[in-house]
Amino acid sequence: MQIDYAKEVATMKEVGYYDKNITNGVVVMVEPYSQQKQIQQVVHRILDANLDRAREGLRIIEEWCRFGLNNAEMAGECKHLRQEVAIWHTAELRAARDTAGDPGTELSHPQEEQRSSIKALLQANFCRIQEAFRVVEEYGKLYHPNMGKAFKQMRYQVYTLESDLMGYQRHQLLWRSRLYLVTSPSADLLSIVEAALKGGLTLVQYRSKDADDSVRLEEATKLQQLCHAYGALLIINDRVDLAMAVDADGVHLGQQDMPIAIARQLLGPQRLIGRSTTNSEEMQKAIAEGADYIGVGPVYETPTKAGKAAAGLEYVRYAVKNSSVPWFAIGGIDVNNINDVIDAGAERVAVVRSLMQAEQPTLVTQYLLSQLNRVQPDNPSMF
């Protein structure tokens, strides 16, 4: 029997099963129906693998919401999503599974072998879920007319959940933080900050008023990586753009900086915004505008705020009674006067020179925290 290759090519082109780039022009004699079944089987395997991946990732997030945060609402949202995914994970799709023949089971990456913190673990699994949902959204269009639309909506729900959860974690760690290091320019910036982190510090503000933007970007990036590794928060002084560029946890604004509302629009609801205040009027305004925390000071005169009169301990006492958000007494506080500030009612303090100029930042951090923790026992950060 003689085969009319030109006719076969024309027929295969018509039904969509001929690609010169793949076959090099050679006609492959495969029945369209048979090839369609093979493609269907591949799609089923892809959907099964990614539905499994999404369910596993959701369970990991759910367990942290339940046991780590004791947050029934977020845990319930994860469970609801997981059950919705399970509805689509049919016996037909699971029957297509071929674990032994899957080359992907041997693939791995060093970053998957360990997690530096709970934050890193959660972010990795959110990425895992979102990627899996995107795959299901596309391939699902070949399986069921409503599958793509359903998983598109679920993917957006996961984005919202991630934003809410990571924002919740930041706020929880902010409330637990007793000591706040505000950096000053130093050739040993990273080593000083790391020494303080080793002493238990969980909140750092990068402050560099006069450096070039290229230097700021480099230093802020390295600080973000360092704080991330220790499970600490990094706040950027003044610069919302820099905070966004390095994926920092928030920004600290002075009285002359942009309005909190504008910063919130740029940063979104999940990141932290702090505001410096020097009197009761500034405090109440900052709280009303939505500051997540405030600085209260300067308690003592300090070269960091040259020419600015000290607000004194009276302002600290006012904050004790009137601040509804976390606040940090700041300005000239050191190992010699911290107990006076604590006696005035402060539970949190921010320092600059006390740590940046300390010979042993780790020990000074531990001492300051020990004094603050005797006022209110510290609940160690789980993040």
Side-chain angles (χ1 to χ4, degrees), residues 153-207:
Q153 292 303 315
M154 280 191 272
R155 183 161 52 86
Y156 289 142
Q157 290 177 46
V158 171
Y159 289 147
T160 301
L161 177 63
E162 179 183 19
S163 178
D164 291 345
L165 178 56
M166 302 314 285
Y168 181 83
Q169 289 192 154
R170 288 187 177 105
H171 282 82
Q172 289 291 299
L173 183 49
L174 173 67
W175 276 97
R176 273 192 281 272
S177 295
R178 299 279 174 254
L179 183 63
Y180 189 176
L181 169 59
V182 181
T183 69
S184 58
S186 171
D188 300 319
L189 175 66
L190 294 174
S191 61
I192 293 170
V193 171
E194 183 166 19
L197 291 168
K198 288 178 178 178
L201 183 72
T202 53
L203 184 56
V204 177
Q205 180 186 140
Y206 173 61
R207 185 175 187 270

XYZ file of all heavy atoms in Angstrom, residues 153-207:
452
model
N -10.374 32.345 40.919
C -10.932 32.990 42.106
C -10.216 32.534 43.377
O -9.921 33.332 44.254
C -12.432 32.699 42.205
C -13.268 33.355 41.116
C -13.096 34.856 41.091
O -13.119 35.533 42.123
N -12.903 35.416 39.888
N -9.905 31.244 43.444
C -9.209 30.726 44.628
C -7.794 31.292 44.722
O -7.284 31.534 45.813
C -9.185 29.205 44.612
C -10.485 28.573 45.083
S -10.331 26.794 45.363
C -10.704 26.178 43.732
N -7.168 31.474 43.559
C -5.810 32.053 43.561
C -5.830 33.457 44.153
O -4.957 33.834 44.952
C -5.250 32.063 42.135
C -3.817 32.569 42.012
C -3.199 32.128 40.696
N -4.011 32.469 39.554
C -3.971 33.646 38.926
N -3.179 34.608 39.369
N -4.739 33.878 37.870
N -6.846 34.257 43.807
C -6.957 35.595 44.377
C -7.234 35.529 45.876
O -6.753 36.362 46.651
C -8.066 36.378 43.662
C -7.713 36.782 42.243
C -8.662 36.749 41.233
C -6.423 37.175 41.918
C -8.336 37.117 39.926
C -6.089 37.537 40.626
C -7.050 37.509 39.632
O -6.709 37.873 38.354
N -8.005 34.542 46.298
C -8.260 34.372 47.734
C -6.967 34.073 48.496
O -6.775 34.540 49.615
C -9.266 33.245 47.954
C -10.686 33.562 47.516
C -11.622 32.382 47.687
O -11.622 31.731 48.728
N -12.408 32.096 46.669
N -6.098 33.288 47.859
C -4.822 32.955 48.497
C -3.922 34.187 48.584
O -3.219 34.387 49.584
C -4.112 31.804 47.749
C -2.689 31.604 48.276
C -4.898 30.517 47.905
N -3.940 35.040 47.549
C -3.176 36.283 47.617
C -3.628 37.113 48.815
O -2.808 37.676 49.558
C -3.369 37.107 46.337
C -2.713 36.541 45.106
C -3.296 36.703 43.848
C -1.516 35.838 45.181
C -2.704 36.186 42.701
C -0.923 35.314 44.047
C -1.515 35.490 42.811
O -0.925 34.977 41.684
N -4.937 37.218 49.006
C -5.479 37.988 50.128
C -5.098 37.348 51.453
O -4.713 38.038 52.410
C -7.013 38.087 50.011
O -7.350 38.724 48.774
C -7.592 38.911 51.160
N -5.196 36.027 51.522
C -4.829 35.318 52.750
C -3.361 35.543 53.087
O -3.006 35.778 54.251
C -5.112 33.821 52.593
C -4.720 32.932 53.777
C -5.507 33.302 55.027
C -4.932 31.459 53.426
N -2.503 35.488 52.064
C -1.078 35.726 52.297
C -0.850 37.127 52.852
O -0.099 37.315 53.823
C -0.294 35.562 50.995
C 1.193 35.827 51.156
C 1.962 35.725 49.856
O 1.335 35.805 48.781
O 3.195 35.574 49.909
N -1.483 38.106 52.254
C -1.335 39.489 52.707
C -1.803 39.629 54.151
O -1.120 40.226 54.995
C -2.138 40.424 51.796
O -2.053 41.752 52.241
N -2.957 39.047 54.466
C -3.508 39.145 55.822
C -2.620 38.431 56.831
O -2.360 38.948 57.921
C -4.916 38.548 55.867
C -5.938 39.385 55.102
O -5.623 40.554 54.794
O -7.026 38.868 54.807
N -2.166 37.248 56.465
C -1.370 36.457 57.403
C -0.009 37.079 57.659
O 0.427 37.186 58.815
C -1.200 35.030 56.871
C -0.347 34.083 57.733
C -0.893 33.996 59.155
C -0.279 32.700 57.110
N 0.670 37.511 56.593
C 1.988 38.103 56.796
C 1.867 39.426 57.544
O 2.720 39.759 58.376
C 2.688 38.308 55.449
C 2.875 37.028 54.626
S 3.506 35.606 55.552
C 5.223 36.068 55.745
N 0.799 40.186 57.279
C 0.565 41.413 58.029
C 0.273 41.122 59.487
O 0.754 41.814 60.391
N -0.506 40.087 59.746
C -0.837 39.681 61.114
C 0.432 39.302 61.869
O 0.624 39.678 63.025
C -1.804 38.502 61.060
C -2.248 37.982 62.410
C -3.299 38.586 63.094
C -1.615 36.893 62.998
C -3.718 38.114 64.328
C -2.023 36.408 64.234
C -3.077 37.017 64.892
O -3.473 36.546 66.120
N 1.303 38.546 61.198
C 2.555 38.138 61.840
C 3.416 39.351 62.195
O 4.019 39.396 63.274
C 3.339 37.214 60.915
C 2.722 35.851 60.761
C 3.664 34.886 60.083
O 3.545 33.696 60.290
N 4.584 35.359 59.278
N 3.484 40.296 61.262
C 4.279 41.494 61.536
C 3.742 42.224 62.769
O 4.507 42.673 63.620
C 4.270 42.419 60.324
C 5.083 41.918 59.139
C 5.156 42.978 58.049
N 5.983 42.527 56.941
C 5.530 42.111 55.777
N 4.223 42.101 55.546
N 6.352 41.726 54.819
N 2.427 42.366 62.828
C 1.840 43.071 63.959
C 2.058 42.306 65.274
O 2.298 42.910 66.321
C 0.346 43.305 63.728
C 0.065 44.444 62.800
N 0.106 44.311 61.426
C -0.241 45.753 63.038
C -0.167 45.481 60.868
N -0.381 46.363 61.821
N 1.965 40.988 65.212
C 2.209 40.188 66.411
C 3.641 40.369 66.911
O 3.881 40.520 68.113
C 1.941 38.711 66.112
C 0.475 38.376 65.926
C -0.306 38.482 67.208
O -0.031 37.784 68.183
N -1.288 39.357 67.237
N 4.592 40.344 65.972
C 5.992 40.509 66.369
C 6.250 41.932 66.847
O 7.034 42.150 67.780
C 6.917 40.149 65.209
C 8.420 40.193 65.491
C 8.768 39.439 66.766
C 9.193 39.630 64.304
N 5.611 42.911 66.235
C 5.744 44.293 66.693
C 5.303 44.411 68.153
O 5.993 45.026 68.977
C 4.907 45.220 65.820
C 4.813 46.682 66.289
C 6.174 47.364 66.172
C 3.763 47.446 65.482
N 4.147 43.842 68.487
C 3.643 43.901 69.867
C 4.597 43.209 70.836
O 4.728 43.619 71.994
C 2.257 43.260 69.948
C 1.138 44.185 69.587
C 0.512 44.297 68.381
C 0.526 45.169 70.436
N -0.452 45.270 68.421
C -0.475 45.824 69.669
C 0.715 45.546 71.767
C -1.274 46.838 70.189
C -0.081 46.555 72.290
C -1.058 47.187 71.504
N 5.263 42.145 70.367
C 6.171 41.417 71.259
C 7.534 42.084 71.401
O 8.283 41.766 72.309
C 6.350 39.987 70.748
C 5.277 39.031 71.258
C 5.678 37.599 70.970
N 5.409 37.269 69.590
C 4.237 36.800 69.158
N 3.251 36.632 69.995
N 4.065 36.503 67.889
N 7.875 42.957 70.465
C 9.203 43.575 70.486
C 9.291 44.622 71.599
O 8.481 45.539 71.663
C 9.512 44.219 69.130
O 9.590 43.237 68.118
N 10.297 44.492 72.421
C 10.515 45.429 73.525
C 11.630 46.434 73.215
O 11.625 47.541 73.735
C 10.889 44.658 74.800
C 9.807 43.688 75.258
C 8.738 44.428 76.031
N 7.646 43.538 76.351
C 6.461 43.561 75.755
N 6.231 44.405 74.793
N 5.516 42.727 76.113
N 12.571 45.991 72.378
C 13.739 46.821 72.088
C 13.817 47.062 70.587
O 13.653 46.136 69.780
C 15.013 46.120 72.568
C 16.333 46.886 72.399
C 16.327 48.163 73.234
C 17.514 45.989 72.803
N 14.070 48.298 70.213
C 14.055 48.732 68.818
C 15.389 49.414 68.535
O 15.713 50.434 69.139
C 12.890 49.705 68.652
C 12.521 50.146 67.257
C 11.410 50.971 67.076
C 13.231 49.783 66.117
C 11.009 51.404 65.817
C 12.847 50.202 64.859
C 11.733 51.016 64.711
O 11.347 51.442 63.468
N 16.173 48.843 67.629
C 17.451 49.448 67.253
C 17.256 50.323 66.020
O 16.806 49.855 64.976
C 18.493 48.370 66.946
C 19.791 48.864 66.285
C 20.502 49.896 67.159
C 20.710 47.695 65.949
N 17.598 51.595 66.155
C 17.626 52.522 65.024
C 19.089 52.701 64.654
O 19.883 53.182 65.466
C 16.979 53.873 65.380
C 17.011 54.810 64.176
C 15.546 53.670 65.871
N 19.461 52.315 63.449
C 20.872 52.329 63.087
C 21.356 53.739 62.756
O 20.576 54.631 62.428
C 21.147 51.420 61.868
O 20.555 52.003 60.702
C 20.606 50.034 62.083
N 22.647 53.909 62.843
C 23.327 55.122 62.377
C 24.466 54.666 61.477
O 24.891 53.512 61.535
C 23.857 55.935 63.562
O 24.753 55.160 64.341
N 24.964 55.533 60.585
C 26.014 55.119 59.649
C 27.221 54.532 60.372
O 27.699 55.079 61.374
C 26.369 56.427 58.930
C 25.108 57.236 58.996
C 24.523 56.925 60.343
N 27.700 53.406 59.874
C 28.855 52.748 60.486
C 29.485 51.800 59.473
O 28.777 51.143 58.696
C 28.435 51.958 61.728
O 29.507 51.153 62.198
N 30.815 51.731 59.505
C 31.523 50.793 58.639
C 31.238 49.354 59.068
O 31.373 48.420 58.280
C 33.024 51.062 58.683
N 30.823 49.180 60.322
C 30.540 47.845 60.866
C 29.040 47.609 61.029
O 28.608 46.845 61.893
C 31.223 47.672 62.227
C 32.735 47.813 62.137
O 33.316 47.291 61.163
O 33.327 48.450 63.019
N 28.245 48.282 60.194
C 26.790 48.234 60.343
C 26.255 46.807 60.466
O 25.526 46.484 61.408
C 26.139 48.933 59.140
C 24.605 48.873 59.075
C 23.984 49.640 60.227
C 24.114 49.415 57.731
N 26.609 45.954 59.538
C 26.043 44.601 59.517
C 26.475 43.773 60.713
O 25.664 43.045 61.303
C 26.422 43.894 58.221
C 25.824 44.473 56.940
C 26.380 43.771 55.713
C 24.307 44.349 56.960
N 27.733 43.890 61.093
C 28.219 43.092 62.227
C 27.595 43.561 63.537
O 27.291 42.748 64.420
C 29.745 43.149 62.308
O 30.199 44.483 62.500
N 27.379 44.872 63.671
C 26.737 45.395 64.890
C 25.289 44.912 64.980
O 24.834 44.441 66.023
C 26.782 46.936 64.910
C 28.224 47.431 65.044
C 25.927 47.491 66.048
C 28.380 48.934 64.833
N 24.572 45.029 63.863
C 23.167 44.600 63.859
C 23.073 43.106 64.127
O 22.222 42.658 64.914
C 22.484 44.961 62.524
C 21.098 44.332 62.445
C 22.388 46.478 62.375
N 23.941 42.321 63.508
C 23.877 40.881 63.739
C 24.191 40.532 65.182
O 23.562 39.642 65.770
C 24.834 40.130 62.806
C 24.717 38.620 62.975
C 25.377 37.829 61.869
O 26.231 38.395 61.142
O 25.033 36.638 61.708
N 25.138 41.243 65.776
C 25.457 40.997 67.188
C 24.237 41.278 68.065
O 23.944 40.531 69.009
C 26.637 41.863 67.617
N 23.513 42.349 67.756
C 22.304 42.671 68.518
C 21.213 41.627 68.285
O 20.488 41.245 69.218
C 21.801 44.055 68.131
N 21.086 41.158 67.056
C 20.099 40.111 66.748
C 20.415 38.835 67.532
O 19.512 38.149 68.010
C 20.087 39.826 65.249
C 19.529 40.935 64.356
C 19.836 40.646 62.887
C 18.024 41.110 64.559
N 21.688 38.537 67.658
C 22.082 37.367 68.450
C 21.709 37.535 69.923
O 21.502 36.546 70.627
C 23.590 37.133 68.321
C 24.020 36.604 66.962
C 25.531 36.432 66.884
C 25.941 35.866 65.536
N 27.423 35.733 65.413
N 21.617 38.784 70.362
C 21.239 39.052 71.751
C 19.738 39.032 71.981
O 19.285 39.200 73.123
N 18.953 38.833 70.921
C 17.503 38.737 71.073
C 16.721 39.878 70.458
O 15.487 39.926 70.584
N 17.383 40.803 69.773
C 16.695 41.920 69.133
C 15.757 41.408 68.035
O 16.113 40.507 67.277
C 17.733 42.862 68.513
C 17.210 44.141 67.848
C 16.735 45.128 68.902
C 18.292 44.773 66.970
N 14.559 41.989 67.939
C 13.597 41.545 66.915
C 13.072 42.691 66.049
O 12.212 42.477 65.197
C 12.388 40.853 67.571
O 11.828 41.722 68.565
C 12.790 39.538 68.216
N 13.604 43.903 66.248
C 13.100 45.054 65.493
C 14.247 46.006 65.181
O 14.928 46.494 66.093
C 12.025 45.770 66.315
C 11.302 46.956 65.684
C 10.652 46.585 64.368
C 10.258 47.516 66.644
N 14.459 46.260 63.886
C 15.571 47.102 63.419
C 15.034 48.154 62.463
O 14.198 47.858 61.601
C 16.641 46.261 62.695
C 17.758 47.153 62.153
C 17.207 45.189 63.606
N 15.523 49.374 62.607
C 15.213 50.432 61.654
C 16.504 50.863 60.969
O 17.483 51.208 61.635
C 14.584 51.644 62.345
C 14.252 52.778 61.376
C 13.767 54.038 62.083
O 14.116 55.159 61.704
N 12.960 53.887 63.136
N 16.481 50.833 59.636
C 17.641 51.309 58.882
C 17.477 52.802 58.659
O 16.544 53.266 58.025
C 17.747 50.596 57.539
C 18.824 51.162 56.644
C 20.164 51.145 57.038
C 18.515 51.737 55.415
C 21.158 51.666 56.233
C 19.496 52.262 54.594
C 20.824 52.234 55.006
O 21.800 52.756 54.208
N 18.444 53.561 59.205
C 18.395 55.018 59.118
C 19.740 55.528 58.614
O 20.774 55.331 59.257
C 18.072 55.629 60.482
C 17.879 57.145 60.483
C 17.447 57.591 61.886
N 17.088 59.001 61.948
C 17.946 59.991 62.221
N 19.226 59.711 62.437
N 17.538 61.234 62.260
